[in-house]
Amino acid sequence: MSAPTKKVPSAPTSGNTDPIITYRQALHDALQAEMQRDESVILLGEEIGIFEGSYKITAGLLDEFGPERVRDTPIAEEGFVGAAIGAAMLGMRPVVEIMTINFSLLAIDQIVNHAAKIYGMFGGQTPIPMVIRTPGGGGQQLAATHSQNLEVWYAHVPGLKVLAPATPADAKSMLTAAIRDNDPVLLLENLSLYNTKGPVPEHEVVAPIGKAQITVHGTDLTVVGYSRSAVIARDVAERFAAKGVSIEVVDLSSLRPLDRETICRSVMKTGKAVILEDDWLTYGIGAEIAATIAEGAFDYLDAPVRRVAAAEVPLPYAKSLERIALPDADALIRVINEQLDATGFKR
Amino acid sequence: MSAPTKKVPSAPTSGNTDPIITYRQALHDALQAEMQRDESVILLGEEIGIFEGSYKITAGLLDEFGPERVRDTPIAEEGFVGAAIGAAMLGMRPVVEIMTINFSLLAIDQIVNHAAKIYGMFGGQTPIPMVIRTPGGGGQQLAATHSQNLEVWYAHVPGLKVLAPATPADAKSMLTAAIRDNDPVLLLENLSLYNTKGPVPEHEVVAPIGKAQITVHGTDLTVVGYSRSAVIARDVAERFAAKGVSIEVVDLSSLRPLDRETICRSVMKTGKAVILEDDWLTYGIGAEIAATIAEGAFDYLDAPVRRVAAAEVPLPYAKSLERIALPDADALIRVINEQLDATGFKR
Amino acid sequence: MAGRTEGPARSRPVSGKPTKRSAASKQVRDGEGKVPAGTESTKATPAKGAKRDTTKPDADRDRLVGYFREMTLIREFELKAAEMYTRAKIGGYCHLNLGEESTVVGLMAALRPTDYIYTNYREHGYALARGMEPGRVMAELFGRSDGVSGGRGGSMHLFDAKRRFLGGYGIVGGQIPPATGAALALTYRGEPGPDSEAVVCQMGDGTTNIGAFHESLNLAAIWNLPIVYVVINNGLGMATTVEAAAGEPLLYKRGCSYRIKGVRVEGDDPSVVHEAAEEMLRRAREERKPGLLEIMTHRLRGHSVVDPARYRSREEAEKLRAEDPVPAYRHKLVADGVLTDEETAAIEAESIRIVDEAVAFADSSPEPPASDLFKYTYASPVANTSMLMPGDPILPAGWDKEVSR
Amino acid sequence: MAGRTEGPARSRPVSGKPTKRSAASKQVRDGEGKVPAGTESTKATPAKGAKRDTTKPDADRDRLVGYFREMTLIREFELKAAEMYTRAKIGGYCHLNLGEESTVVGLMAALRPTDYIYTNYREHGYALARGMEPGRVMAELFGRSDGVSGGRGGSMHLFDAKRRFLGGYGIVGGQIPPATGAALALTYRGEPGPDSEAVVCQMGDGTTNIGAFHESLNLAAIWNLPIVYVVINNGLGMATTVEAAAGEPLLYKRGCSYRIKGVRVEGDDPSVVHEAAEEMLRRAREERKPGLLEIMTHRLRGHSVVDPARYRSREEAEKLRAEDPVPAYRHKLVADGVLTDEETAAIEAESIRIVDEAVAFADSSPEPPASDLFKYTYASPVANTSMLMPGDPILPAGWDKEVSR
Ligand SMILES: Cc1ncc(C[n+]2csc(CCOP(=O)(O)OP(=O)(O)O)c2C)c(N)n1
Ligand SMILES: Cc1ncc(C[n+]2csc(CCOP(=O)(O)OP(=O)(O)O)c2C)c(N)n1
Ligand SMILES: [Mg+2]
Ligand SMILES: [Mg+2]
C-alpha cells in the first residue's frame, strides 16, 4: 500500500555523532523501547502485525511482543480507536495506528467526542493515556480522499494534544513523550518524511510537549512551519543564508498546545513572517499562526504576514495538477523574496 | 429533546412590513416551499417525521408530503447522510437533518471524503445537490459532547459550501439557495436562534451564496460575526450607537466561500476590528478572519485585531462554568472599549 | 402511580452472589473498585405484627425486598428529577428510567463490585442501583460541585470510578467501543474464571442500528472479550419504533453477525432479568464469551422530560400505565406474602425521605467555582495550554517585556 | 500464466437478458445511462476449420466465449498495469483484479445497461467489463485528460456516468451508503418489476467489518431497496484473513442482522456467478428485496502492486497459482469443445493487441492542463470561491483600489 514518497531533504547532521536513521526507523525504535519499558503499552491498528504496517513502522514488533501487544484489528476505525479509549480508562497505554489521517474521519467521534471529553466531562476521574499515530500529506498521487492534511481539525479541540515532528530525532522523542503523557495525543506523521534521515540519539529522550523550536536562527525574516513544511523551511533558510539573508525558522512541533510566545518573539526580532503549511489555506493551521503574529507582534511587523498553503481543491491524481496545487520550496522562496522586496530589504 | 434556548435578541423590524416569524418557522417555510416546488426535494433524518424533528423544524411536513418524502431514519448518521449522497447522484435533492453538529462527526467521512470529493475526483461527471441542516451552539447546558461549534472544520474543506444564517429572513433565503445549489451545502443553524423572531418576506427570496453582509453601517470600528454572534454584534452596535460610537457589523453569512473583500473593505474604513465567534479561540473561524484582515487591510489597522471566542475547555454542564466559558455581549463590549481606548478614540 | 419504599439512607445494589464479593474484590488493583460502601446484601427487619408467608427462605425474601426497595427509590428519584427540571433546578437534557425500574434493578443486581459498567444517557437508575449516593447523583443533575462528576457532566454523564461505573454517554452508541476496550483491558489482567471481572455495556434499542454497535460486537467476538451488551428495548428511539428502525426487530438475534449468543427476557420481573444477566456474565467471566442480552421494557413518558409524547395514542398511553412494573411488582410481593401493605407503604415512605434528602443535599451543594474552569482539560499539564477567557488578548499584556519562561 | 483473448477493440459486458435491454433503457431519464455503445451481446465468429462440439446452442456458446474474452482482456490489462506502475507511468495506489477475473466477468454479465454499480478501489476489471474503453481506463491510471475521470481519480477512482458506473472508492466501505442511496432514488422513479433498475454495490471481505456496512444494509432492509451487495471474498484484507477479522467468517450470513438473504458462490466459473447475481438482481428488481452475494475468489498477488506479499508461504503461493481461474477456464472451454486451442490463442493475442493499443492511447493523451485545476471543485460557481495558488496573496494586488464587484 505504501506509495513512493516525494523527495524531502533530510535533517542536518553537522557536528552530530548520533547514528543516522530514517524517520520511519525512529518511530519504530520509540515504540519498541516504550513497549520494552512498560507492559501496559499495547499497539492496535489495521495490518500492523503480519503486514508490518502499511508504512512498515511496526516491522518486527509482532515477533518481539506477540499478537496480544501488537494487535491486528479489522477495518473498523471507530471500533478500535474507541476500544483504545476504554482500555486506557482501565490503565493500559494503547498506541493506535490509523493508516492515514484520511481514515481518522471514521473514528473522529471517538477521538473528539470521547477521548477528548472523558477526562473533563466526568470531573477528572479517569485520564485517557492513549496515542494516535497517523500520517498526513499529499504529493504521493493518492488523489482527493487519500491526500489530506486535516490536523487543524484536531488542533482546534481542547482535551487533545497534537504533535507534529519534522525530524527523525523529534519523531522518536515526541512519540516517547506522547506515550508517557496521560492525555490523548495525536502524533501527526507525514508520508513524505518516512524515508528522510537524520541523527537520532540512541539513549532515551522525552520531548517537551507544547513547545516550538527555533531550528535555524536568523534576524531578517521568520518562516514558520511544522512537519514536512518545517523541513522545507530549514532547507530554504540554508539556501538564503548562502545569499546573505538571515532567516529564522520556527518549527511549531506542537500544534496543540500552541507556543505563541516563541513564534511572536521571533517575529519581534525579524519583523517579517512567512508561514509554510501543507493544508488548505482558508481556516488552515497558518490562519491561527498569522492571527497570532498579527496580534502578538503587531507593533513589530514591517509587512503583512504571508501564508504559503495548498490550493483549495480536492487534490487531483494527475501529477501535472497535483504538483501545482501543493506548496513547495519554490513557492516559499518566491514569497520570501516578495516580503524582502516589500520591506526594502537590501541584499 | 429540545432544551430551553438562551435569550438572544431578535432581528430589527423597523420600517419592515413583512410578517414577523421565528427562525424555526422560517426554516420550516423554506423546506415546505421547496418541496412544493420540486418533487425531487426529499427530507431525511432522525425523528423528523412522527416526532416532527428534535427542534420541530419539520413539524407538519410528514402530513403534507408523506413518509417517502419526509423519511425518518434509524440512528445511523453515516448511513443516511451517505444515502443522501447516492440519491443526489441520481438526481434527487435530499435535505438531511443532523440533529446537532456534534453528531455530524459520525457522518463526517461521508460528508468530507465523499460529498465534497465526488464531483471533483471523478472529473465533474456527477454533481451532489444536497443540503445538510444542522444546529451548533452551546449555552443550553448540554455539556461537553452536545455543545460544540465545529463549523470551522467544514469551512476548511473545498467542495463544500457552508452557510450560517443569523436572522429568520436569512435562514429562509439561504436554505432556499442551498436546496437549489448543485453542490453539497452545510447550513449551520443555531440552538439559541430557533426562537428568535424577525421579519421574513412571504415571497421567494434566494440568497446569494458566498457573500458577507454589512448589517449595521458604521465608521469607528468593525465587528465581524456570523450566526448567533452576528445577532449579538448587531445588538451591541446599537448600544454603542446610543453612546455615539459608530460600529459597523459584518455578518459573514457564508463561511465557505469566505467574502474576504467585504471584510477588508470595512476595516479599511474603520481601522479597527473585533471578531465575535462561538467556537474555541485557537484555530477557530476567527483565526482566518483575523489573518485575512491583518493581510488584506494591513496598512489600515490602528490596532491589532481582537478575537472574542470560547474558553478552550470541554464545555462543563454546570451553569456557573458554562456561562463564563462562552463569549457574550459583555465580553464583546469590553473588548470593543479596549480597542477604542488603545487607539485613543474620543468619546 | 409512584411506588414507595423503605430502605437505608443510601441506595444499595442487590447482589446475587454476596459470598463471591470478598473473593472477587480481592483481585482489585490500584484503589479502583474496592467494595463500595453499603453493598453487602441487606436484611430488612420485618415490620412488627405483619402477617407473612414464613415458608420463604430469608435470603431469597431479602433479595425480592431489595429489588422492590431499589425500584421504588428509582421511581421516586425520577419523579423528583422531572419536578426539579420544571423548577429549572436541572437543565439541558434529562432522560428518565420511569417504567424501566425493574429492568435496571434486575440487571444491576447481577453485577459484582469488581465488574465495570458503561451506559447511555438514560442512567440515573443504574447509578443509584450501583450504590451512588442519591444526593450526589441529584447534585450532578443540579450541576453542583458535590455531583458524582463534579457538576461537569449533568444528567447524561454520571460517573463513579470507585464503583466502576464508567459513565453515562450522550452520543448514541458512543459507549460501545470504549466498553469493548475496557473488556479488552481485562484480558491483560488475568485468566478467565468464576472470580474474574467483566464489563456490562448498556444501550437502547435504537442504538443497535449504528455502526459502532457492529464494529464493537465484532471486536468482542474475534477477541473473546468478557463483556455483555445489554439492549434495553423500550420499543422506541425517540418516537421511532424498533420495527421501523431495525431490519431484524428481534434485536437479540443481531449477535448472529458475530456468532454472539443473544437472549431476550421480559423486564418486568427483576428476578428474571437478574438471572439472565448473571448467566450472561458467567459466560463472559468463565468462558470469555461476549453476550447480547435484550430486555423488554417500557418508557412510561416522553423521550426526555421536555417531550410530551403527543405521538402516542390515548390507548397506548393507557396500556402503558396498566403495564407500569412498579405497582405491579408491589402487588406481586404482597400477593406472594413477601411484604405486607404496611411494609410496602413504609418502604415507599422511606424512598420519599431519601429523595427529599437528596434534593436538600444537592440544593446546598455549591456550584463549581469559576477558578476550576480549566482544572480538568488535561490530566498531564504541559506548557502553553490555553487558559484564555473570552475576549482575553492571546498573550498577557507586557508579555514581550518579561524574559521567556 | 496469462490467458489470451480475441475480441472487439473494446471490452463488452455480456448480458443475460439482451432482449430486456431496449425495454429497460426506455425508463432512463436525463441523458444518463442510454444504452452504452457496444453492450449488445457479442457474436464470436468461429475460427475457420476448428473442430468443435456443434451440439452446443450458439447463444450459449457465445456467452461462454464472451466470458473468456473478458477474462483474458482483464488479465492482460492488469499485467500491463503492473508493468506500467514499475515504469512509473502509474502512481499512487494500484490494486489489481488478478485472480478475480472470472468473478468480475460473471458478476458484470448480470448487470443491465440500466443498472448502476458502485465498487471499491480494486475495480479496473469491472470498468472494462462495463464497456469502458481500455484506452480511457489506462489513461486514467496514467493521470491523463482522456482518462475516464479526466485524470483526477486515478486507478482507485474510475467513473463513467453514461455507463452508470458510479465510481470506484478508496475509503473502505465508503461506497456502501451512496450505493444504498442510489437504490433509494430508484424507488422514486418507478414501480418494482422485471424491467426496473437496480444497484450493485461491490466490496471486499474485510469491508464487512466496518460500520457503514451495518448501517447501509439496515437501511436497505427497512426501506426495501433494489440493491445487491456483493462481497468479493479473496480471503484477505491486506494480510488479515477473513477468519481473523470477522466474528462470522461465513460472510453471506451477515445479512441475518437485517433479514437480508445471503448467498455464497464459488467465483471460478463465470456462469455460476452470473446466474447467482442475476437471481439476486431479479429479487431486487421485482420484489424490492436487497440481497447479499458472497463470491469466493483469489487474489493472486499482493494487496497492491507494491506489496510483495512476503507474509504468504511458498505453499500458499503455489496453491494460488494452481487455482488461477483464467488458465483453468481456458482448459475447461477447450475440453468442453467450446473453443479450440487455436481460437483461445487468437483471443489471447487479440487481448494483448487491445491492451497495447490502450497503453499507446494513454501515453499519447495529454496531462490535464494547469488551467483546469479549479474547474471541478464546484458544480454551481458562486462568488468568492478561492482560486489561490500556493503563495498567492489572499487578495489580488491593488484589489482595494478597484470598486467592489
Ligand atoms: C449519534 C447520535 N445521534 C443522535 C442522537 C440523538 N438521540 C439521543 S437519544 C436518541 C434515541 C435513542 O434511542 P434508544 O437507543 O432506543 O435509547 P432510549 O432513549 O430509548 O433509551 C437519539 C436519536 C445522539 N444523541 N447521538
Ligand atoms: C476506512 C479505511 N480504512 C483503511 C483503509 C486502508 N485499506 C485499503 S484496502 C484495505 C483492505 C481491504 O480489504 P477488502 O475489503 O477485503 O478488499 P480487497 O482489497 O481484498 O479487495 C485497507 C485496510 C482504507 N482505505 N479505508
Ligand atoms: Mg429505546
Ligand atoms: Mg479481500
Side-chain angles (χ1 to χ4, degrees):
Chain A
M1 187 104 174
S2 50
T5 57
K6 213 178 182 185
K7 190 90 203 75
V8 173
S10 284
T13 68
S14 46
N16 185 318
T17 61
D18 293 323
I20 307 299
I21 62 175
T22 61
Y23 189 99
R24 167 181 290 108
Q25 185 67 40
L27 291 166
H28 167 278
D29 293 353
L31 289 175
Q32 183 180 39
E34 290 305 296
M35 289 181 79
Q36 287 167 347
R37 175 177 174 276
D38 181 351
E39 266 214 328
S40 62
V41 176
I42 57 172
L43 310 187
L44 290 170
E46 292 160 5
E47 308 289 351
I48 62 172
I50 299 162
F51 195 79
E52 303 195 309
S54 209
Y55 296 99
K56 308 303 172 194
I57 310 301
T58 53
L61 298 180
L62 174 63
D63 293 344
E64 181 173 353
F65 300 102
E68 249 119 62
R69 292 187 66 194
V70 180
R71 200 174 276 264
D72 275 323
T73 68
I75 307 167
E77 280 79 5
E78 186 177 21
F80 70 77
V81 171
I85 293 170
M89 290 173 82
L90 263 65
M92 305 298 290
R93 305 188 83 84
V95 180
V96 171
E97 173 175 299
I98 298 180
M99 236 180 241
T100 79
I101 197 169
N102 307 284
F103 313 148
S104 73
L105 275 59
L106 282 294
I108 203 166
D109 166 64
Q110 284 297 322
I111 300 169
V112 171
N113 284 337
H114 295 85
K117 303 292 190 285
I118 286 173
Y119 183 69
M121 188 168 71
F122 295 128
Q125 292 183 75
T126 176
I128 306 295
M130 71 183 281
V131 178
I132 297 170
R133 290 181 39 243
T134 193
Q140 319 293 318
Q141 278 199 277
L142 301 181
T145 63
H146 285 53
S147 303
Q148 298 172 99
N149 298 275
L150 298 170
E151 52 271 16
V152 69
W153 289 7
Y154 296 105
H156 181 54
V157 179
L160 296 181
K161 294 168 179 172
V162 181
L163 303 179
T167 65
D170 284 353
K172 186 177 179 188
S173 62
M174 288 188 194
L175 178 50
T176 303
I179 292 171
R180 298 190 189 181
D181 190 272
N182 284 327
D183 294 303
V185 179
L186 187 137
L187 186 91
L188 180 74
E189 304 175 359
N190 192 301
L191 297 183
S192 61
L193 292 182
Y194 284 138
N195 292 334
T196 59
K197 293 198 168 120
V200 178
E202 274 160 312
H203 62 272
E204 166 185 305
V205 180
V206 184
I209 294 178
K211 290 283 200 184
Q213 307 176 74
I214 307 291
T215 54
V216 178
H217 290 270
T219 53
D220 300 332
L221 180 146
T222 298
V223 174
V224 181
Y226 64 96
S227 189
R228 169 181 171 271
S229 64
V231 177
I232 293 174
R234 199 186 50 221
D235 178 55
V236 166
E238 279 154 13
R239 298 201 231 167
F240 272 95
K243 297 196 235 122
V245 181
S246 167
I247 287 182
E248 178 147 300
V249 174
V250 178
D251 176 351
L252 295 174
S253 303
S254 173
L255 300 179
R256 180 169 205 91
L258 177 63
D259 184 355
R260 291 190 162 98
E261 207 171 307
T262 298
I263 300 164
C264 291
R265 282 190 190 282
S266 175
V267 179
M268 284 161 58
K269 182 172 59 178
T270 63
K272 306 172 210 52
V274 177
I275 298 152
L276 181 65
E277 62 190 312
D278 279 340
D279 61 358
W280 292 304
L281 177 83
T282 307
Y283 306 107
I285 291 285
E288 178 58 55
I289 307 308
T292 290
I293 293 169
E295 181 179 342
F298 184 78
D299 299 327
Y300 304 82
L301 273 178
D302 308 332
V305 179
R306 291 282 302 277
R307 289 178 272 168
V308 181
E312 300 183 45
V313 292
L315 196 65
Y317 164 79
K319 249 208 208 71
S320 59
L321 296 179
E322 186 189 46
R323 200 185 308 105
I324 61 173
L326 298 178
D328 58 11
D330 297 346
L332 176 60
I333 290 166
R334 193 174 64 247
V335 173
I336 290 172
N337 284 322
E338 287 172 20
Q339 278 281 59
L340 295 173
D341 299 344
T343 54
F345 181 83
K346 304 269 163 303
R347 273 174 272 200
Chain B
M1 189 103 173
S2 50
T5 57
K6 215 177 181 188
K7 188 95 204 66
V8 174
S10 285
T13 69
S14 46
N16 185 317
T17 62
D18 293 325
I20 308 298
I21 62 174
T22 60
Y23 189 100
R24 169 182 289 108
Q25 184 68 40
L27 291 166
H28 167 278
D29 294 354
L31 289 175
Q32 184 180 38
E34 291 304 295
M35 289 180 81
Q36 287 168 349
R37 177 178 172 275
D38 181 351
E39 269 214 327
S40 63
V41 176
I42 57 171
L43 309 188
L44 291 170
E46 291 160 6
E47 308 288 351
I48 62 172
I50 298 161
F51 196 78
E52 304 193 308
S54 212
Y55 296 99
K56 307 303 171 195
I57 309 302
T58 53
L61 298 181
L62 174 62
D63 294 343
E64 182 175 354
F65 299 102
E68 249 120 63
R69 291 187 67 196
V70 180
R71 199 174 277 266
D72 275 323
T73 68
I75 306 167
E77 280 79 7
E78 187 177 19
F80 69 76
V81 171
I85 294 170
M89 291 172 82
L90 264 64
M92 304 299 289
R93 305 187 83 83
V95 180
V96 171
E97 173 175 298
I98 297 180
M99 237 179 240
T100 79
I101 197 168
N102 307 284
F103 313 147
S104 73
L105 275 59
L106 281 296
I108 203 166
D109 166 64
Q110 284 297 321
I111 300 169
V112 171
N113 283 338
H114 296 85
K117 303 292 191 284
I118 286 174
Y119 183 69
M121 187 169 71
F122 295 128
Q125 291 184 76
T126 175
I128 306 295
M130 73 184 278
V131 178
I132 296 170
R133 291 182 37 245
T134 192
Q140 319 292 317
Q141 279 199 277
L142 301 182
T145 63
H146 285 52
S147 304
Q148 300 172 101
N149 298 276
L150 298 171
E151 51 272 17
V152 69
W153 289 7
Y154 296 104
H156 181 54
V157 179
L160 296 181
K161 294 169 179 172
V162 181
L163 303 179
T167 66
D170 284 352
K172 187 177 178 187
S173 62
M174 288 188 195
L175 178 50
T176 304
I179 291 171
R180 298 189 189 182
D181 191 272
N182 284 328
D183 293 304
V185 180
L186 188 136
L187 185 90
L188 180 74
E189 303 175 359
N190 192 301
L191 297 183
S192 62
L193 292 182
Y194 283 137
N195 293 332
T196 60
K197 293 199 168 98
V200 178
E202 274 160 314
H203 62 272
E204 166 184 306
V205 179
V206 184
I209 294 179
K211 289 284 200 182
Q213 307 175 74
I214 308 292
T215 55
V216 177
H217 291 269
T219 52
D220 299 332
L221 181 145
T222 299
V223 175
V224 181
Y226 64 96
S227 189
R228 170 181 171 272
S229 64
V231 177
I232 292 174
R234 203 186 48 225
D235 178 54
V236 165
E238 280 153 13
R239 295 201 232 167
F240 272 94
K243 296 195 236 123
V245 181
S246 169
I247 288 183
E248 179 148 298
V249 175
V250 178
D251 176 350
L252 294 174
S253 304
S254 173
L255 300 178
R256 180 169 203 92
L258 177 63
D259 184 355
R260 291 192 163 99
E261 206 170 308
T262 298
I263 300 164
C264 292
R265 282 188 190 283
S266 174
V267 179
M268 284 161 57
K269 182 173 57 176
T270 63
K272 307 172 207 54
V274 177
I275 299 153
L276 180 65
E277 61 190 313
D278 279 340
D279 60 358
W280 292 303
L281 177 82
T282 307
Y283 306 107
I285 291 285
E288 178 58 54
I289 307 308
T292 290
I293 294 169
E295 181 177 340
F298 184 78
D299 299 329
Y300 303 81
L301 274 177
D302 309 329
V305 178
R306 292 282 301 277
R307 291 178 272 168
V308 181
E312 300 182 45
V313 291
L315 196 66
Y317 164 79
K319 250 207 209 70
S320 59
L321 296 179
E322 186 189 44
R323 201 184 307 105
I324 60 173
L326 298 177
D328 58 11
D330 296 345
L332 176 60
I333 290 166
R334 193 175 63 249
V335 173
I336 289 172
N337 284 322
E338 286 173 18
Q339 278 280 60
L340 295 173
D341 299 344
T343 54
F345 182 82
K346 302 268 162 307
R347 274 174 272 202
Chain C
M1 158 171 169
R4 306 257 179 257
T5 353
E6 171 180 323
R10 96 135 56 92
S11 171
R12 295 173 178 181
V14 179
S15 168
K17 293 202 175 76
T19 53
K20 280 258 179 323
R21 278 233 188 67
S22 45
S25 58
K26 282 216 190 58
Q27 302 190 328
V28 182
R29 4 143 97 190
D30 47 64
E32 257 184 299
K34 60 175 128 58
V35 185
T39 51
E40 297 318 313
S41 73
T42 54
K43 290 240 171 296
T45 40
K48 298 270 162 299
K51 78 160 164 31
R52 141 176 338 125
D53 166 357
T54 48
T55 62
K56 276 203 183 300
D58 237 29
D60 190 38
R61 176 180 178 280
D62 292 347
R63 188 167 51 78
L64 305 183
V65 173
Y67 294 145
F68 182 63
R69 184 177 288 118
E70 295 292 316
M71 288 169 61
T72 53
L73 176 65
I74 294 170
R75 171 60 52 100
E76 287 306 321
F77 187 95
E78 296 294 60
L79 291 171
K80 184 62 73 174
E83 180 194 334
M84 290 297 124
Y85 193 95
T86 58
R87 298 228 250 116
K89 293 281 189 180
I90 299 171
Y93 297 147
C94 186
H95 312 80
L96 307 175
N97 289 121
L98 293 173
E100 302 179 347
E101 293 88 346
S102 51
T103 295
V104 172
V105 167
L107 172 63
M108 296 306 286
L111 269 72
R112 305 202 191 138
T114 48
D115 294 329
Y116 295 86
I117 179 166
Y118 287 75
T119 73
N120 68 4
Y121 46 81
R122 191 183 299 281
E123 87 285 37
H124 304 165
Y126 299 85
L128 295 172
R130 191 56 172 171
M132 295 192 213
E133 296 84 344
R136 293 198 57 209
V137 176
M138 190 64 79
E140 188 59 39
L141 274 53
F142 281 28
R144 305 302 176 87
S145 23
D146 293 305
V148 292
S149 301
R152 291 178 176 252
S155 165
M156 299 196 291
H157 307 113
L158 305 175
F159 196 100
D160 186 338
K162 193 164 103 290
R163 293 191 174 82
R164 301 191 166 192
F165 188 99
L166 296 194
Y169 295 78
I171 302 290
V172 161
Q175 74 275 28
I176 311 178
T180 305
L184 173 61
L186 293 182
T187 64
Y188 295 89
R189 280 193 186 176
E191 290 312 302
D195 291 344
S196 71
E197 304 156 298
V199 176
V200 167
C201 179
Q202 176 268 15
M203 72 189 81
D205 48 275
T207 304
T208 62
N209 300 307
I210 202 156
F213 173 85
H214 179 67
E215 296 189 7
S216 301
L217 269 70
N218 190 53
L219 292 179
I222 60 175
W223 292 342
N224 306 312
L225 303 183
I227 183 167
V228 179
Y229 299 97
V230 179
V231 175
I232 307 300
N233 186 342
N234 58 17
L236 296 171
M238 288 164 75
T240 304
T241 64
V242 171
E243 294 65 29
E248 173 49 88
L250 300 173
L251 303 178
Y252 69 97
K253 291 191 175 178
R254 297 190 125 179
C256 61
S257 195
Y258 329 97
R259 297 189 180 173
I260 287 181
K261 180 181 179 181
V263 170
R264 168 186 275 197
V265 294
E266 292 302 319
D268 292 351
D269 184 338
S271 303
V272 172
V273 176
H274 182 162
E275 199 176 312
E278 207 156 55
E279 170 54 15
M280 278 284 186
L281 275 163
R282 188 198 60 72
R283 291 174 71 250
R285 282 182 222 293
E286 300 180 12
E287 302 165 30
R288 288 271 162 88
K289 290 212 178 105
L292 177 61
L293 174 62
E294 178 183 18
I295 311 177
M296 308 305 291
T297 183
H298 327 274
R299 195 192 76 199
L300 292 183
R301 297 198 177 173
H303 170 69
S304 75
V305 293
V306 298
D307 168 22
R310 295 218 186 72
Y311 43 83
R312 269 180 177 155
S313 69
R314 181 176 242 287
E315 297 65 42
E316 285 177 87
E318 268 156 21
K319 183 162 167 301
L320 269 173
R321 222 170 291 109
E323 291 169 346
D324 187 338
V326 176
Y329 197 62
R330 190 206 301 110
H331 295 136
K332 180 187 186 325
L333 293 189
V334 172
D336 295 355
V338 175
L339 286 171
T340 64
D341 280 323
E342 298 68 27
E343 286 171 320
T344 59
I347 289 173
E348 289 158 356
E350 180 63 7
S351 288
I352 295 183
R353 195 184 61 69
I354 294 168
V355 171
D356 289 342
E357 278 179 15
V359 169
F361 175 83
D363 242 337
S364 64
S365 175
E367 292 198 312
S371 56
D372 281 1
L373 181 61
F374 295 101
K375 192 167 172 189
Y376 300 121
T377 310
Y378 294 102
S380 301
V382 293
N384 295 308
T385 299
S386 168
M387 298 198 186
L388 300 172
M389 296 302 289
D392 283 353
I394 58 167
L395 289 163
W399 70 275
D400 48 345
K401 308 296 170 283
E402 350 145 343
V403 280
S404 183
R405 343 175 190 95
Chain D
M1 158 168 170
R4 307 259 178 255
T5 353
E6 170 182 322
R10 93 135 61 92
S11 172
R12 295 173 180 182
V14 179
S15 168
K17 292 200 176 74
T19 54
K20 283 261 181 321
R21 278 235 189 66
S22 46
S25 58
K26 282 215 190 57
Q27 297 192 333
V28 180
R29 1 145 99 192
D30 47 61
E32 256 183 296
K34 60 176 129 58
V35 184
T39 51
E40 298 316 312
S41 73
T42 53
K43 288 245 171 297
T45 38
K48 300 267 163 301
K51 80 158 162 30
R52 131 168 356 117
D53 166 358
T54 48
T55 63
K56 275 204 184 302
D58 237 30
D60 190 37
R61 175 180 180 280
D62 291 347
R63 189 167 53 76
L64 305 183
V65 173
Y67 293 145
F68 182 64
R69 185 177 287 115
E70 296 292 318
M71 287 168 63
T72 53
L73 177 65
I74 294 170
R75 170 60 52 100
E76 287 307 323
F77 187 95
E78 296 294 60
L79 290 171
K80 184 64 72 174
E83 178 193 336
M84 290 297 127
Y85 193 94
T86 58
R87 297 228 248 114
K89 293 280 189 182
I90 299 171
Y93 297 146
C94 186
H95 313 80
L96 307 176
N97 289 123
L98 293 172
E100 302 179 346
E101 293 88 347
S102 51
T103 295
V104 172
V105 167
L107 172 64
M108 296 307 285
L111 269 72
R112 305 203 192 138
T114 48
D115 295 328
Y116 294 86
I117 179 163
Y118 286 75
T119 73
N120 68 4
Y121 46 82
R122 192 183 299 281
E123 88 284 38
H124 304 166
Y126 299 86
L128 295 173
R130 190 57 171 170
M132 295 193 212
E133 297 84 345
R136 293 200 56 210
V137 176
M138 190 64 80
E140 188 59 39
L141 273 53
F142 280 29
R144 306 302 176 88
S145 21
D146 293 303
V148 292
S149 300
R152 291 179 176 252
S155 165
M156 300 196 291
H157 306 114
L158 305 176
F159 196 100
D160 186 339
K162 195 166 102 290
R163 294 192 173 82
R164 302 192 165 193
F165 188 100
L166 295 193
Y169 295 79
I171 302 290
V172 162
Q175 74 276 27
I176 311 178
T180 305
L184 173 62
L186 293 181
T187 66
Y188 295 90
R189 282 191 184 176
E191 292 310 302
D195 292 344
S196 71
E197 304 156 299
V199 176
V200 166
C201 178
Q202 175 268 17
M203 71 189 82
D205 48 275
T207 303
T208 63
N209 300 307
I210 202 155
F213 173 85
H214 179 68
E215 296 189 7
S216 302
L217 269 69
N218 190 53
L219 292 179
I222 60 175
W223 292 343
N224 305 310
L225 303 183
I227 182 167
V228 178
Y229 298 97
V230 179
V231 175
I232 307 300
N233 187 341
N234 58 17
L236 295 172
M238 287 163 77
T240 304
T241 64
V242 171
E243 294 64 31
E248 174 49 86
L250 299 172
L251 303 178
Y252 69 97
K253 291 191 174 178
R254 296 190 126 180
C256 62
S257 194
Y258 329 97
R259 297 190 179 173
I260 288 180
K261 181 181 178 182
V263 170
R264 169 186 276 197
V265 295
E266 292 301 319
D268 291 350
D269 184 339
S271 302
V272 172
V273 176
H274 182 161
E275 199 177 309
E278 207 157 52
E279 170 53 16
M280 278 285 185
L281 276 163
R282 189 198 59 72
R283 290 174 72 250
R285 281 183 224 291
E286 301 181 11
E287 304 166 28
R288 287 270 162 91
K289 290 215 178 106
L292 177 60
L293 174 62
E294 179 183 16
I295 312 177
M296 308 304 290
T297 184
H298 328 273
R299 193 192 78 198
L300 292 184
R301 297 199 178 173
H303 170 68
S304 75
V305 292
V306 298
D307 169 22
R310 293 218 187 72
Y311 43 83
R312 270 181 176 155
S313 69
R314 180 177 242 288
E315 296 66 40
E316 285 177 87
E318 267 156 19
K319 183 164 167 301
L320 269 172
R321 222 168 293 109
E323 291 169 347
D324 187 338
V326 176
Y329 197 62
R330 189 205 301 112
H331 295 136
K332 178 184 184 333
L333 293 189
V334 172
D336 296 355
V338 175
L339 286 171
T340 62
D341 279 323
E342 297 67 22
E343 286 170 321
T344 60
I347 289 172
E348 291 159 352
E350 179 62 6
S351 290
I352 293 181
R353 192 185 60 68
I354 294 167
V355 171
D356 289 344
E357 277 177 17
V359 168
F361 175 84
D363 241 338
S364 65
S365 175
E367 290 199 314
S371 56
D372 281 0
L373 182 61
F374 296 100
K375 193 169 173 187
Y376 299 121
T377 310
Y378 294 101
S380 300
V382 293
N384 295 309
T385 300
S386 168
M387 299 199 186
L388 301 172
M389 296 301 289
D392 283 354
I394 58 167
L395 289 163
W399 68 276
D400 48 343
K401 309 297 172 284
E402 350 146 343
V403 281
S404 182
R405 348 177 185 94

